[in-house]
Amino acid sequence: MARVLIPELYCEDRKCSTLTQDEQRQFYEKGLLPAVANLQGDAVAEWPPDYNCEMFHARGHNGQLAFQSKTIPAWNVKRLGQTIRQSLQSREGLVFLLQIRGVKHSTTHNADNYGDAYTALHEFLQESQLVYDEMVNEGAWYIDVAIEISSAIKNCLAWRTGSHRTLVHQACGLEEHTAIRMTRVSSSQYMRDMASHLPGVSGCRIKFGSQARGPYEIRYCQAYTTDKSLTAWPEGFHHAKYITCRDALSGKVDKFLENLYNVYVQGSYTSYALARFEVRVPLECADAVLIDIEPEIIRGCLVSIPKDVWWGLRACRTLGLKYLLEWQAAAEPKFRVQKSSLLLTAAAVWLINSLHATPDTGASSKELMDLVLPHVETQGADPDILAYKKTGDGESDADDIDTDSDEEGVPRVRRRRTAETSAAWPYGLVFLVPIRMGDQYPCPRFSSGHILSDKRFKYFFGADFDDVATQCLSSSVVASKHPSRVANKRQSTVPYVRDREEEYAQDFESIARLGLEMPPPARDGGSDNEMSDDDDDVYDSDEDLPAILTRRHRQGS
């Protein structure tokens, strides 16, 4: 893969790093296409004659883009960059970033032999048609090198959260005090990736500054486990399978959670996770890094968990959250759309997505965690149990940037933290605050008064509260068709329907003769409702559905 940077196009007013449509057109028609014609002669006849033709060819019937790929002979690759520069004339500042992808596991060697590392590196370069001496003398080349650890008894291995500093110190060759500083929770270059809702088990990602790269000039490192391959699915800013709050409200999560549960159950039989530590180093250091590390040091950085326990924890949590969402979906819409009920929906979706991926800690998710997670005293709290990075009172948190804004070009907002308590997971596993559920609560929910702000609510549900409430209430007018039902194509006889008032009168008379009476309408009898304010909207049980919809329509118009 080749990426092109054009520094000349940078200006302070530019809002996006990608090229505009007009800039892409100029680059293709005045730079790339003439360069290909110069280098490959008649082969250019198979290339789109201009940018518009390629866009027409790439756009499918559904509107999605699928660009074609073209092959350039190896002997012309070196000349391509300079030829493009000559074609564009004024673009002398073009910078090319070349990346070779999809070659993981293509070359392996023992982790205790420098000779094997040297041989594996040069075999890889030869297979990629690259020459080591030319690469060292021309440009700056980096390569990802990893060490992979497996269990002899096929247990699942994972990195201990407290071992990150030891791993960086021993494997990367940094001084101990430097490794401690780089793996502090407050470091902006250090990110943890919690696994399976276990705060004590997590991988990490670290960016190395210019003053702390060690003897191998490391730029970046990451520690992770291979179990993510079962659920990995890059899409937008997500890196694994996920659901949304809108999916939960529309009943589209049942099949997803059933499949996710089956993945975890099947994984408990056959899939064991390997631990991997990966570094990005200059090419010259590739055959020296991560060699001859003491096995006892690596063992001390890992936890070994049986497959059925590792995957069973995820399966149990998935099943519990599935039942919770089903319970909410079965409740009457007027209880379903309480803000405290919808907050529980958002929390359940957040928990499901973070089972097999790094928990979202954006600005909206931080507000969610503040509402649904247990709290501890901020002063003197163990940083390792805090749900997200905190700074001291009055200090600006450089990492607490609102990235959930839907508006492009809006300056990112930095906030100050002065709260006396902080959201945390102090029990060794991620738990929520108590949930209101049982006979008195027709729909599971949090305590009244626990609600998201309007901006965060819209981020999670994709619409304002009024719109979400109206949609939920409207969907109850007509029951959705069961997915397994097969429609009968034969014309059926129109049934005779009795007058509704007459039917109701006869039913009530029959009930009264038996000495029975109709139960009162369902109400949320939780004691917290009596003490709460009006922030948590609860629709009147005595108001019929047409009246509710009419009122909501008038409010919207």
Tab-separated table of all heavy atoms in Angstrom, residues 94-113:
chain	number	residue	atom	x	y	z
A	94	LEU	N	6.332	16.092	-2.509
A	94	LEU	CA	5.605	14.834	-2.321
A	94	LEU	C	6.396	13.866	-1.446
A	94	LEU	O	7.586	13.665	-1.647
A	94	LEU	CB	5.324	14.169	-3.666
A	94	LEU	CG	4.195	14.741	-4.536
A	94	LEU	CD1	4.072	13.942	-5.806
A	94	LEU	CD2	2.883	14.722	-3.786
A	95	VAL	N	5.716	13.291	-0.456
A	95	VAL	CA	6.335	12.293	0.411
A	95	VAL	C	5.536	11.003	0.286
A	95	VAL	O	4.310	11.012	0.442
A	95	VAL	CB	6.356	12.759	1.886
A	95	VAL	CG1	6.962	11.679	2.778
A	95	VAL	CG2	7.142	14.058	2.014
A	96	PHE	N	6.233	9.898	-0.008
A	96	PHE	CA	5.561	8.612	-0.199
A	96	PHE	C	5.785	7.729	1.031
A	96	PHE	O	6.907	7.589	1.527
A	96	PHE	CB	6.100	7.899	-1.440
A	96	PHE	CG	5.639	8.514	-2.729
A	96	PHE	CD1	6.309	9.588	-3.277
A	96	PHE	CD2	4.517	8.029	-3.372
A	96	PHE	CE1	5.880	10.167	-4.460
A	96	PHE	CE2	4.077	8.593	-4.555
A	96	PHE	CZ	4.760	9.669	-5.100
A	97	LEU	N	4.680	7.158	1.528
A	97	LEU	CA	4.738	6.188	2.615
A	97	LEU	C	4.337	4.833	2.044
A	97	LEU	O	3.208	4.653	1.602
A	97	LEU	CB	3.787	6.584	3.750
A	97	LEU	CG	4.021	7.954	4.409
A	97	LEU	CD1	2.971	8.208	5.480
A	97	LEU	CD2	5.408	8.043	4.997
A	98	LEU	N	5.251	3.900	2.049
A	98	LEU	CA	5.000	2.564	1.509
A	98	LEU	C	4.796	1.586	2.657
A	98	LEU	O	5.563	1.582	3.622
A	98	LEU	CB	6.167	2.116	0.635
A	98	LEU	CG	6.541	3.045	-0.534
A	98	LEU	CD1	7.717	2.476	-1.305
A	98	LEU	CD2	5.353	3.256	-1.451
A	99	GLN	N	3.772	0.761	2.542
A	99	GLN	CA	3.448	-0.180	3.605
A	99	GLN	C	3.176	-1.551	3.016
A	99	GLN	O	2.410	-1.696	2.057
A	99	GLN	CB	2.224	0.306	4.398
A	99	GLN	CG	1.876	-0.557	5.591
A	99	GLN	CD	0.690	-0.020	6.365
A	99	GLN	OE1	-0.106	0.745	5.844
A	99	GLN	NE2	0.565	-0.412	7.611
A	100	ILE	N	3.816	-2.549	3.602
A	100	ILE	CA	3.580	-3.944	3.213
A	100	ILE	C	2.689	-4.557	4.277
A	100	ILE	O	3.058	-4.643	5.453
A	100	ILE	CB	4.908	-4.723	3.104
A	100	ILE	CG1	5.830	-4.056	2.083
A	100	ILE	CG2	4.644	-6.167	2.717
A	100	ILE	CD1	7.196	-4.688	2.010
A	101	ARG	N	1.496	-4.982	3.881
A	101	ARG	CA	0.508	-5.482	4.840
A	101	ARG	C	0.162	-6.933	4.540
A	101	ARG	O	0.435	-7.449	3.465
A	101	ARG	CB	-0.750	-4.616	4.793
A	101	ARG	CG	-0.485	-3.132	4.956
A	101	ARG	CD	-1.750	-2.313	4.884
A	101	ARG	NE	-2.652	-2.598	5.989
A	101	ARG	CZ	-3.826	-1.989	6.159
A	101	ARG	NH1	-4.239	-1.081	5.263
A	101	ARG	NH2	-4.584	-2.286	7.180
A	102	GLY	N	-0.471	-7.563	5.531
A	102	GLY	CA	-0.948	-8.930	5.334
A	102	GLY	C	0.153	-9.974	5.314
A	102	GLY	O	-0.011	-11.020	4.679
A	103	VAL	N	1.280	-9.721	5.984
A	103	VAL	CA	2.394	-10.673	5.962
A	103	VAL	C	2.704	-11.215	7.357
A	103	VAL	O	3.766	-11.776	7.580
A	103	VAL	CB	3.656	-10.019	5.352
A	103	VAL	CG1	3.450	-9.753	3.875
A	103	VAL	CG2	4.015	-8.734	6.091
A	104	LYS	N	1.779	-11.023	8.293
A	104	LYS	CA	2.008	-11.558	9.636
A	104	LYS	C	2.156	-13.072	9.565
A	104	LYS	O	1.428	-13.756	8.843
A	104	LYS	CB	0.847	-11.170	10.549
A	104	LYS	CG	1.028	-11.587	12.005
A	104	LYS	CD	-0.174	-11.168	12.832
A	104	LYS	CE	-0.259	-9.657	12.925
A	104	LYS	NZ	-1.372	-9.236	13.832
A	105	HIS	N	3.104	-13.600	10.326
A	105	HIS	CA	3.414	-15.033	10.372
A	105	HIS	C	4.082	-15.539	9.094
A	105	HIS	O	4.265	-16.755	8.943
A	105	HIS	CB	2.149	-15.873	10.640
A	105	HIS	CG	1.632	-15.732	12.035
A	105	HIS	ND1	0.279	-15.686	12.317
A	105	HIS	CD2	2.256	-15.595	13.234
A	105	HIS	CE1	0.112	-15.548	13.615
A	105	HIS	NE2	1.287	-15.474	14.190
A	106	SER	N	4.428	-14.655	8.166
A	106	SER	CA	5.078	-15.126	6.935
A	106	SER	C	6.487	-15.626	7.221
A	106	SER	O	6.988	-16.507	6.520
A	106	SER	CB	5.114	-14.010	5.889
A	106	SER	OG	5.838	-12.893	6.369
A	107	THR	N	7.143	-15.070	8.233
A	107	THR	CA	8.463	-15.561	8.653
A	107	THR	C	8.488	-15.633	10.171
A	107	THR	O	8.110	-14.692	10.856
A	107	THR	CB	9.595	-14.623	8.176
A	107	THR	OG1	9.305	-13.281	8.604
A	107	THR	CG2	9.706	-14.643	6.666
A	108	THR	N	8.924	-16.766	10.691
A	108	THR	CA	9.020	-16.957	12.138
A	108	THR	C	10.383	-17.551	12.478
A	108	THR	O	11.065	-18.132	11.620
A	108	THR	CB	7.916	-17.889	12.655
A	108	THR	OG1	8.037	-19.156	11.992
A	108	THR	CG2	6.537	-17.306	12.379
A	109	HIS	N	10.770	-17.400	13.726
A	109	HIS	CA	12.053	-17.960	14.176
A	109	HIS	C	12.021	-18.098	15.686
A	109	HIS	O	11.134	-17.553	16.366
A	109	HIS	CB	13.215	-17.059	13.748
A	109	HIS	CG	13.148	-15.680	14.309
A	109	HIS	ND1	13.634	-15.349	15.550
A	109	HIS	CD2	12.616	-14.534	13.808
A	109	HIS	CE1	13.432	-14.064	15.792
A	109	HIS	NE2	12.810	-13.541	14.756
A	110	ASN	N	12.982	-18.807	16.251
A	110	ASN	CA	13.078	-18.957	17.692
A	110	ASN	C	13.460	-17.618	18.322
A	110	ASN	O	14.201	-16.829	17.735
A	110	ASN	CB	14.122	-20.013	18.058
A	110	ASN	CG	13.680	-21.413	17.641
A	110	ASN	OD1	12.490	-21.717	17.659
A	110	ASN	ND2	14.638	-22.250	17.270
A	111	ALA	N	12.950	-17.386	19.518
A	111	ALA	CA	13.176	-16.102	20.167
A	111	ALA	C	14.477	-16.045	20.951
A	111	ALA	O	14.707	-15.086	21.688
A	111	ALA	CB	12.007	-15.792	21.098
A	112	ASP	N	15.342	-17.024	20.816
A	112	ASP	CA	16.591	-17.038	21.577
A	112	ASP	C	17.825	-17.170	20.688
A	112	ASP	O	18.900	-17.552	21.153
A	112	ASP	CB	16.577	-18.180	22.599
A	112	ASP	CG	16.374	-19.544	21.953
A	112	ASP	OD1	16.159	-19.590	20.719
A	112	ASP	OD2	16.415	-20.564	22.666
A	113	ASN	N	17.670	-16.853	19.391
A	113	ASN	CA	18.785	-17.049	18.471
A	113	ASN	C	18.882	-15.868	17.510
A	113	ASN	O	17.976	-15.641	16.698
A	113	ASN	CB	18.582	-18.359	17.682
A	113	ASN	CG	19.819	-18.756	16.899
A	113	ASN	OD1	20.286	-18.021	16.052
A	113	ASN	ND2	20.340	-19.947	17.195
